[in-house]
Every structure is written in C-alpha cells, then in structure tokens.
C-alpha cells in the first residue's frame, strides 16, 4: 500500500522508518496537505494518506487521489476532514483517540497555574530586578469552582485533576454520562472561577463562548480553551479581557491558527487564510499583547510520550486496515 505521510517531523520520520511494515510503500513530506499543496502525478495513485491536525482534507484535495481508500489521522479531532466526501467514496478514516487525555488535561492546569500564580511575570520581574510582591500576588485553586464544558475523554481527566486540587466541579455536556455535577451552560458560566473548554468543534459549539455567554461569567473568572479555537469568538474575548469582563484567559488554540505557524512558508494556504481570517487575526494579534492572557501554539498534546502513542497507534491502524472487517478499532468512518 502506497501511503503519503504529510506534516512529518524528523522524530516521526526516524520512528516510522524503523517500524513501518515491509508491505507499505511510504513517502514522507514535511509540508502539510491542503488544496494548495503541489502533488506530483506520481503520488496521485496513493491508496492512503496520513496527516496531522493542521492539514485540511476537503473534497478538492481528496478528489486528486482517485485510488484513495484510507486516511490515517495522527490526531483525535477530524473536523479537518470532509467526512461526507469520504463516505460517498468509501474512504475509511482512522484517528488516534485517547493518546493524550491526561497530556492535554495536565496542560489545562499548567496554563491555569502559570496565569493564576503569575509565573511568567515573576520570572521577568526577577530578571529585571523589579519584583513587587503586590504585583505578583496569585490565587489558589483549593475551594474554587472549575466549570468543565465537555466531559469526554479529556474533560474527565480535567475533572479528576481538579478534584485533586480540592476544587468543586460543575459540568456542562450534551450527554450526561458519569456521576458528575451536571448543570446548564448558564449556571456553569455564572458559578465557575475557571471555565475549561473540552468539547469538540461542531456546528453547535462554534462560538459557544461569545459576547453574550461571556457576559454571564464572573468578573474574576479565567477562561481556558485547549479544544478548538473556533469555539471562542476571538473579538468577544478580546473585548472582555480589555474591559475586564473576565480576569484572564489561556488559549492553546485560536481561530485561524494556521496563520500563527512559525514557518510562514509551511503555510501553503496562507493567501486564502489571510483573506478569510484577516479580521480574526487582527484580534488575535491584539490578544497576544494583553497581559492577562497566555496563548500557546496548539501545544497541549505535545509531549514525548503522547507523540510516541500517536505513532504507535497510527501503525496499529495501518496494520488493522489490511483486515478491515475484523473488528478494527479507531475508525471514525466505516
Ligand atoms: P471526546 O469526544 O472524548 O469528548 C468530547 C465531549 O464533548 C463529549 O462528552 C461530548 O458529549 C461533549 N460535547 C459535544 N458537543 C457538545 C456541546 N455542544 N456542548 C457541550 N458538550 C459537548 O473528545 P476529547 O478526546 O475529550 O477531546 C475534546 C477536544 O479536545 C477534541 O475535539 C479536540 O478538539 C481537542 N483536543 C485538543 C488538543 C490540543 O493539543 N490542544 C489535543 C487533543 C484534543
């Protein structure tokens, strides 16, 4: 089977070259895959693609691969794949669920503690020899209320850690699985000191956090988003932080996050995105300059251990695709 691996980083290349089965014909590309990626005709007969979350597999790009049978996502989310197209063309889509539930949940608390304990300010104030105990006064988690939006695989880990810190936990989810303190979204926003977004991006969750929902939050509240940028209306968040409607925010994901990639040339769709995302980017740039926010580049999943789990699971998915009818796991779409 001919598989094209996109968005490949050096450590992934070493790992895959060592472990990939002999019956696979792999081709590795450092660029992401989207409709603007140049695909030489000699690769267009590939039967499989493997991409990371930053690639955009819409119908335009997928239709270039006439023999495509499998997509091996090296991530959990699949909002970057046109599943309708895949269904119509009998393309099996695999993902790597649960590779990093604790990984991402730990990051939620890394962000909360960094903001709440003013760690970055403490470091720079010491470097500048102007530390001031009043300016550096932080807050505690013990006894505070954590509101979790989406008690799925990651959200449940967030809840466990929150309990470990001695926090009260409120949960809003469209499903009520598990013995949690489920409340309405309004109640969660009104009562929480920390709101952690852990739901997927769907039509229902697009801009779930907007001007109106933010207005229900405590003025002292912290908003943490490690899910998908589009769940939060960037402009509304900027206004809320500027005018102190909430205290602080930490975002590992932002709207149009492809524009923030460190190597501009890697963003092959930069021109398109610039046009679509210009207004959002204007506010993201403004947000980044505020003191009461931390923005990181979609990094919550990024540990050595989690990356190894992703690669191992991708290899398992590839192996199980040879026998698709015998109870294959991790299929987003059968
Ligand atoms: P999951 O599917 O296990 O859980 C999602 C939960 O959200 C489910 O309980 C679901 O019922 C709930 N939900 C769905 N729609 C909702 C709505 N409208 N309102 C409230 N709750 C809703 O997913 P997961 O593995 O916990 O991952 C959650 C998200 O985290 C992913 O979709 C992905 O976007 C994001 N993620 C980010 C990173 C990162 O590095 N920042 C890494 C992995 C995943």
């Amino acid at each position: 089977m001919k598989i094209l691996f996109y968005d490949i980083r050096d450590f992934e290349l070493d790992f895959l070259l060592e472990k990939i089965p002999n019956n696979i014909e792999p081709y590795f590309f450092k660029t992401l895959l989207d409709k603007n990626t140049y695909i030489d005709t000699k690769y267009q007969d590939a039967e499989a693609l493997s991409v990371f979350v930053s690639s955009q597999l819409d119908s335009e790009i997928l239709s270039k691969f006439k023999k495509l049978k499998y997509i091996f996502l090296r991530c959990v989310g699949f909002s970057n794949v046109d599943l309708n197209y895949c269904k119509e063309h009998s393309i099996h889509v695999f993902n790597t669920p649960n590779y990093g539930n604790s990984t991402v949940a730990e990051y939620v608390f890394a962000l909360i503690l960094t903001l709440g304990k003013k760690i970055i300010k403490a470091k720079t104030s010491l470097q500048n020899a102007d530390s001031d105990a009043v300016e550096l006064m932080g807050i505690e988690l013990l006894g505070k209320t954590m509101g979790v939006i989406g008690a799925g695989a990651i959200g449940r880990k967030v809840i466990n850690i929150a309990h470990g810190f001695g926090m009260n936990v409120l949960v809003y989810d469209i499903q009520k699985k598990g013995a949690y303190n489920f409340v309405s979204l309004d109640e969660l926003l009104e009562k929480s000191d920390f709101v952690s977004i852990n739901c997927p991006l769907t039509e229902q969750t697009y801009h779930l956090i907007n001007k109106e929902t933010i207005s229900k939050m405590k003025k002292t509240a912290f908003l943490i988003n490690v899910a998908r940028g589009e769940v939060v209306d960037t402009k509304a968040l900027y206004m809320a932080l500027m005018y102190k409607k909430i205290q602080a925010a930490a975002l590992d994901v932002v709207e149009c996050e492809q524009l923030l990639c460190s190597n501009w040339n890697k963003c092959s769709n930069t021109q398109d995105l610039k046009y679509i995302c210009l207004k959002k980017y204007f506010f993201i740039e403004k947000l980044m300059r505020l003191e009461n926010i931390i923005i990181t580049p979609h990094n919550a999943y990024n540990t050595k251990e989690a990356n190894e789990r992703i690669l191992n699971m991708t290899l398992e998915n590839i192996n199980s695709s040879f026998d698709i009818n015998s109870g294959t796991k991790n299929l987003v779409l059968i």
Side-chain angles (χ1 to χ4, degrees):
M1 175 161 57
K2 188 170 188 171
I3 307 185
L4 311 183
F5 290 86
Y6 283 89
D7 228 343
I8 280 287
R9 292 157 291 173
D10 289 342
F11 72 90
E12 291 180 299
L13 186 61
D14 295 343
F15 186 101
L16 289 168
L17 281 175
E18 191 188 326
K19 300 202 172 173
I20 206 146
N22 290 335
N23 51 355
I24 299 294
E25 192 187 337
Y27 294 89
F28 299 102
F29 304 90
K30 289 194 171 183
T31 54
L32 52 78
L33 179 61
D34 68 18
K35 63 184 178 195
N36 296 317
T37 309
Y38 170 72
I39 302 150
D40 196 297
T41 45
K42 68 182 176 204
Y43 299 121
Q44 292 185 10
D45 61 348
E47 293 161 272
L49 298 171
S50 175
V51 299
F52 188 57
V53 66
S54 39
S55 288
Q56 295 297 323
L57 304 189
D58 59 16
S59 55
E60 194 176 332
I61 180 72
L62 291 174
S63 62
K64 292 186 180 166
F65 299 98
K66 300 286 180 236
K67 296 189 176 172
L68 193 62
K69 284 195 203 138
Y70 307 104
I71 295 173
F72 300 106
L73 296 171
R74 304 196 304 283
C75 53
V76 184
F78 39 85
S79 53
N80 56 333
V81 182
D82 185 338
L83 291 184
N84 288 330
Y85 179 94
C86 292
K87 206 170 185 176
E88 279 164 22
H89 294 82
S90 304
I91 299 167
H92 301 286
V93 182
F94 293 74
N95 68 345
T96 54
N98 302 318
Y99 74 82
N101 302 337
S102 295
T103 320
V104 178
E106 284 180 12
Y107 202 84
V108 169
F109 286 87
L111 292 173
I112 289 177
L113 292 171
T114 305
L115 267 177
K117 307 285 182 189
K118 303 196 176 171
I119 304 290
I120 294 173
K121 196 168 184 167
K123 176 184 152 90
T124 50
S125 71
L126 192 65
Q127 284 168 337
N128 299 332
D130 69 349
S131 55
D132 172 341
V134 176
E135 290 263 305
L136 294 182
M137 193 185 300
I139 52 158
E140 295 182 3
L141 304 193
L142 179 68
K144 298 282 181 352
T145 298
M146 165 66 87
V148 176
I149 301 179
I154 295 170
R156 289 196 294 273
K157 295 286 180 189
V158 171
I159 295 169
N160 289 346
I161 301 175
H163 283 143
F165 275 105
M167 303 178 85
N168 309 309
V169 180
L170 299 176
V171 176
Y172 169 68
D173 196 306
I174 48 168
Q175 304 183 71
K176 291 195 170 50
K177 282 192 194 160
Y180 300 118
N181 193 2
F182 288 104
V183 294
S184 66
L185 180 60
D186 282 0
E187 187 177 346
L188 181 145
L189 295 171
E190 281 158 20
K191 294 187 176 166
S192 297
D193 299 298
F194 300 90
V195 173
S196 176
I197 302 173
N198 297 106
C199 58
L201 173 63
T202 63
E203 271 177 34
Q204 292 76 38
T205 62
Y206 177 81
H207 284 188
L208 185 72
I209 300 300
N210 53 44
K211 188 178 173 191
E212 196 204 328
T213 44
I214 290 175
S215 72
K216 295 179 175 149
M217 293 172 69
K218 292 184 181 183
K219 286 206 165 20
T220 51
F222 286 52
L223 178 73
I224 301 95
N225 185 12
V226 296
R228 285 290 178 268
E230 285 73 12
V231 179
V232 177
D233 178 345
T234 309
K235 181 180 173 188
L237 177 63
Y238 172 71
M239 293 301 187
L241 290 172
M242 266 295 283
Y243 295 104
K244 312 245 179 288
K245 305 280 184 205
I246 60 172
Q247 189 175 165
L251 312 176
D252 185 46
V253 285
V254 291
E255 291 191 270
C256 295
E257 72 182 23
Q258 294 92 327
L259 276 180
L260 297 180
C261 63
S262 51
N263 182 351
W264 204 245
N265 296 325
K266 268 182 78 184
C267 306
S268 62
N269 52 5
T270 297
Q271 286 308 325
D272 277 7
L273 276 170
K274 256 191 185 150
Y275 181 71
I276 300 163
C277 299
L278 211 54
K279 257 169 92 179
K280 291 178 178 175
Y281 192 54
F282 173 79
F283 284 105
I284 293 165
E285 275 222 318
K286 279 172 157 297
L287 268 179
M288 283 200 275
R289 290 168 211 270
L290 297 179
E291 205 173 291
N292 49 349
I293 191 164
I294 295 178
I295 305 184
T296 56
H298 202 144
N299 199 41
Y301 77 94
N302 191 14
T303 62
K304 183 177 179 296
E305 296 85 348
N307 278 300
E308 281 177 9
R309 284 193 288 270
I310 291 176
L311 291 174
N312 277 320
M313 220 182 292
T314 301
L315 287 179
E316 276 171 34
N317 291 344
I318 291 170
N319 281 324
S320 68
S321 69
F322 293 114
D323 193 7
I324 205 103
N325 297 319
S326 66
T328 304
K329 294 188 301 178
N330 307 336
L331 263 177
V332 174
L333 199 65
I334 300 186

